[in-house]
Amino acid sequence: MKSFEAVKHYFNRAADKLELTENMRTLLLTPKREVQVQVAIEMDNGELRTLIGYRVQHDNSRGPMKGGLRFHHEVDLDEVRSLASLMTWKTAVVNIPYGGAKGGIAVDVSKLSTRELERITRKFIDEIHDVIGPDTDIPAPDMGTNAEVMAWIMNQHNKYHGFNPGIVTGKPVEHYGIPGREEATGRGVGILTLKTLGRLGHKPKNTRVAIQGFGNVGSHAAKFLQEADCSVVAISDISGGYYSKEGLDILDALKYANANNRSLEGYSAAKHISNEQLLELDVELLIPAALGGVITSENAPRIKASLIVEAANAPIRPDADDLLTDRGVIILPDILANAGGVTVSYFEWAQNRQFYHWGLDRVRQELEHILSAAFEEVWALSREHDVSLRTAAFMLGISRVGRATVLGGIT
Ligand code: GLU
């Protein structure tokens, strides 16, 4: 099943419960606009390279469209479309005044120099500057992009449209960004994980955790959960998995990765395992925090965790989702679990518009407040309708977007 088909599948399951008509489903699922542009650049060695850039603007009934920019070699239009749609439901679940969008370029950033990355970013903005804006569509970081890339986006967009830091979020703190944005997605995963554990009657100290991915999201989630007394027994990156039965020292692993070009390659304080083995470890909690589609109907039967928190977008394929849910595994879905990032993006954007500065304590407090409220609503809905947390989250998101669409007038 392709990526957008998968989102459609979850959407329809929730839409059945909400008894939405076929026409309403088509209206809510169809993206408003899909832009595909040529990004031609000169590489450092003088070679010409032509890339394709995408921006899918899915829905704006609740506010300007919002979503990250992904630079990854597997990016294609179908994936960007599915991620844009997930952003629509995500912003609605946490009830922040945004719609959903996503962008991407199919490129392997690990093979680019910083200058090449900057040229690609600026050229992409040259091509799409007139379809994005602080009141229409606001990009942010995603896989393969970071605060530095966001600073280039702001600078390039401002050349066409004048100074406006609210054009993009996830900027460096020293350059119109907000403290706590970088940690926000991982921290949000941590906050929501603790809430779920509490609701299920699991104590953090009896919870062994395996986290796939040790990038921005995975590493902050690992740190937060270790500080909360969970035992993080495994982490991983593209160099493989690192496992310790007694629990890893996350600060030590972070120090190692930071000194080693952000890679865990060669980390010897733990046993080396594969990324596949990590998913199947004997743990209570599994957090996929890397690529989409890593849990399939093939490996799902071997997964031992009783709770899975989707820090990545769409890490579980729909057929695996069914197998796991039937077995009683609780899944905290991406559109709630990783919504901390876009929530703090909202704070950054609001601040940029007011030229008012929030400190880290306030950011963390407001983040917790918004995520907790969303968690309570999704949990209550899942109990009330006897559905999974994923279906409940989709029901909440879809009903908010549907209501705003009708109130705004359809034709
Ligand atoms: N890329 C992140 C996500 O998938 C953040 C988006 C944003 O901050 O706008 O939620």
Side-chain angles (χ1 to χ4, degrees):
M1 195 184 281
K2 300 261 285 172
S3 304
F4 190 65
E5 273 301 304
V7 178
K8 207 166 151 182
H9 172 83
Y10 296 137
F11 174 95
N12 276 326
R13 191 172 280 180
D16 289 346
K17 286 273 168 195
L18 294 167
E19 296 178 4
L20 284 195
T21 63
E22 265 320 305
N23 291 343
M24 196 64 189
R25 292 178 198 221
T26 308
L27 178 71
L28 294 182
L29 265 178
T30 311
K32 294 262 173 226
R33 170 154 60 179
E34 300 187 343
V35 180
Q36 180 171 324
V37 294
Q38 181 195 65
V39 182
I41 63 143
E42 193 183 310
M43 305 303 280
D44 289 347
N45 64 6
E47 247 175 53
L48 180 71
R49 192 148 169 214
T50 307
L51 303 165
I52 304 293
Y54 308 97
R55 186 76 185 168
V56 173
Q57 300 178 325
H58 178 254
D59 190 90
N60 63 355
S61 58
R62 300 182 61 262
M65 293 170 282
K66 186 85 190 82
L69 266 190
R70 178 173 288 202
F71 290 179
H72 188 271
H73 60 276
E74 281 172 8
V75 162
D76 62 20
L77 180 59
D78 180 75
E79 186 191 54
V80 178
R81 188 183 287 144
S82 77
L83 293 168
S85 155
L86 285 180
M87 286 307 302
T88 298
W89 318 123
K90 191 186 299 187
T91 53
V93 166
V94 287
N95 211 3
I96 54 176
Y98 286 139
K102 199 81 166 198
I105 300 182
V107 65
D108 184 350
V109 277
S110 70
K111 300 206 169 79
L112 298 175
S113 70
T114 306
R115 300 262 340 264
E116 288 169 339
L117 182 62
E118 177 172 353
R119 280 202 290 276
I120 290 173
T121 305
R122 289 187 185 275
K123 192 64 190 285
F124 184 41
I125 298 307
D126 285 342
E127 302 303 327
I128 65 162
H129 70 89
D130 52 354
V131 299
I132 59 171
D135 293 317
T136 48
D137 178 5
I138 306 129
D142 198 84
M143 273 166 78
T145 57
N146 56 20
E148 198 178 8
V149 174
M150 300 306 119
W152 297 327
I153 293 177
M154 174 185 153
N155 181 271
Q156 197 65 11
H157 192 268
N158 288 183
K159 285 180 188 167
Y160 292 97
H161 301 275
F163 173 73
N164 197 331
I167 166 61
V168 62
T169 60
K171 299 177 292 293
V173 181
E174 310 82 352
H175 196 66
Y176 306 97
I178 189 172
R181 172 62 186 85
E182 203 168 288
E183 68 174 26
T185 311
R187 188 177 181 84
V189 166
I191 291 169
L192 290 161
T193 299
L194 292 186
K195 287 198 90 66
T196 315
L197 287 174
R199 211 47 67 92
L200 298 173
H202 290 318
K203 291 212 168 21
K205 73 170 165 44
N206 299 332
T207 306
R208 292 167 299 168
V209 194
I211 303 181
Q212 190 192 41
F214 202 58
N216 182 37
V217 181
S219 63
H220 281 292
K223 192 163 160 267
F224 184 94
L225 289 172
Q226 182 150 77
E227 279 164 13
D229 229 9
C230 290
S231 174
V232 182
V233 295
I235 53 176
S236 73
D237 64 13
I238 48 168
S239 71
Y242 300 84
Y243 171 66
S244 162
K245 208 169 161 225
E246 289 71 44
L248 297 157
D249 178 347
I250 295 302
L251 290 183
D252 182 64
L254 263 173
K255 217 162 97 191
Y256 182 89
N258 285 338
N260 194 32
N261 211 8
R262 298 196 171 268
S263 167
L264 287 166
E265 175 119 54
Y267 187 58
S268 57
K271 188 175 156 207
H272 193 261
I273 58 173
S274 69
N275 260 296
E276 292 70 35
Q277 283 172 314
L278 178 142
L279 295 173
E280 299 168 19
L281 284 174
D282 182 19
V283 290
E284 284 69 42
L285 166 61
L286 175 64
I287 304 185
L291 273 175
V294 292
I295 301 178
T296 63
S297 54
E298 197 277 317
N299 62 6
R302 296 191 298 276
I303 285 181
K304 299 182 189 67
S306 55
L307 170 63
I308 303 179
V309 175
E310 294 187 321
N313 285 314
I316 305 178
R317 290 191 195 278
D319 43 1
D321 187 76
D322 285 344
L323 289 173
L324 293 162
T325 307
D326 289 349
R327 253 173 51 201
V329 175
I330 304 289
I331 299 169
L332 196 69
D334 46 9
I335 55 172
L336 172 60
N338 68 30
V342 72
T343 301
V344 176
S345 275
Y346 165 53
F347 301 155
E348 180 180 334
W349 176 78
Q351 262 190 43
N352 287 155
R353 304 183 71 107
Q354 297 169 351
F355 298 97
Y356 181 74
H357 187 74
W358 287 14
L360 181 60
D361 285 349
R362 174 143 183 218
V363 169
R364 287 179 168 176
Q365 204 179 333
E366 301 269 349
L367 172 66
E368 171 130 27
H369 178 74
I370 287 189
L371 293 183
S372 300
F375 175 85
E376 294 304 335
E377 284 180 286
V378 170
W379 189 272
L381 216 53
S382 97
R383 290 295 162 270
E384 185 188 335
H385 294 272
D386 193 21
V387 293
S388 68
L389 292 171
R390 188 187 312 279
T391 300
F394 267 87
M395 286 170 73
L396 182 62
I398 294 169
S399 47
R400 284 191 173 137
V401 176
R403 183 102 184 105
T405 304
V406 171
L407 287 172
I410 292 169
T411 52

